[in-house]
């Protein structure tokens, strides 16, 4: 089983690239942002709770996010593997994910970070906001807050996974196809 984490700042292309990886390696793609947005659109209890945090560009509390993630994984017991996109975003989430996977005799195979310049990210997010109507993409101060959340709470995960020798980096500037190929090259390193 291959269990990948796609890592990177908001707008780094995790969702776009996850679609290509999913098709090539027959994996289940779990985007925590997409699951939250789906719940918001259906006005579920989870959606109502997540909305207030997401609109400001804050992280949703760990306990809520972890429970939701575990429920998503449990929906496909026969999966060949998972792509986690947008999760984990805090050290507690990473520790809980390891514990959860261990309890199923599974583990994270690798984490791949998409490296993109911050000025390019801001342009991408503003354009995405225009196209999608996403509230958290439409306002520079919310975007800035998401980068701050990343720097404060998420970037520490790099060391968490480096210490397990699972951390890889890929240049995320350039054409979409080029970036996919770079990702495939890294994933193929662990496929026997
Ligand atoms: P992006 O990474 O491009 O900002 P996402 O769709 O992955 O977009 O996430 C959007 C928002 O959803 C985040 O700003 C946060 O509020 C919430 N969210 C997503 N994943 C998590 C998580 N693992 N923990 C806490 N909040 C999350």
């Amino acid at each position: 089983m291959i269990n990948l984490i796609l890592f990177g700042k908001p707008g780094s292309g995790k969702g776009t690239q996850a679609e290509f990886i999913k098709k090539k390696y027959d994996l289940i793609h779990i985007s925590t942002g997409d699951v939250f947005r789906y719940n918001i659109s259906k006005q579920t209890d989870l959606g109502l709770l997540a909305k207030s945090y997401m609109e400001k560009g804050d992280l949703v509390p760990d306990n809520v996010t972890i429970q939701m993630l575990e429920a998503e994984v449990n929906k496909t017991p026969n999966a060949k593997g998972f792509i986690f996109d947008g999760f984990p975003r805090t050290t507690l989430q990473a520790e809980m994910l390891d514990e959860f996977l261990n309890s199923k005799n599974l583990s994270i195979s690798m984490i791949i970070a998409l490296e993109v310049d911050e000025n390019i990210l801001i342009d991408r997010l503003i354009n995405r906001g225009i196209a999608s109507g996403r509230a958290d993409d439409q306002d520079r101060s919310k975007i800035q807050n998401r980068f701050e959340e990343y720097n404060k709470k998420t970037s520490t995960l790099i060391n968490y996974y480096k210490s397990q020798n699972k951390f890889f980096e890929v240049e995320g500037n350039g054409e979409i196809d080029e970036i996919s190929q770079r990702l495939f090259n890294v994933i193929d390193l662990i496929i026997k």
Side-chain angles (χ1 to χ4, degrees), residues 10-11 14 32-33 37 54 58 60 86 89 93 128 134 146:
K14 302 183 292 286
T32 43
R37 279 185 289 277
M54 287 176 74
D58 290 343
V60 178
R89 261 176 153 106
Q93 290 181 14
R128 188 169 76 179
R134 257 179 77 166
R146 282 151 67 201

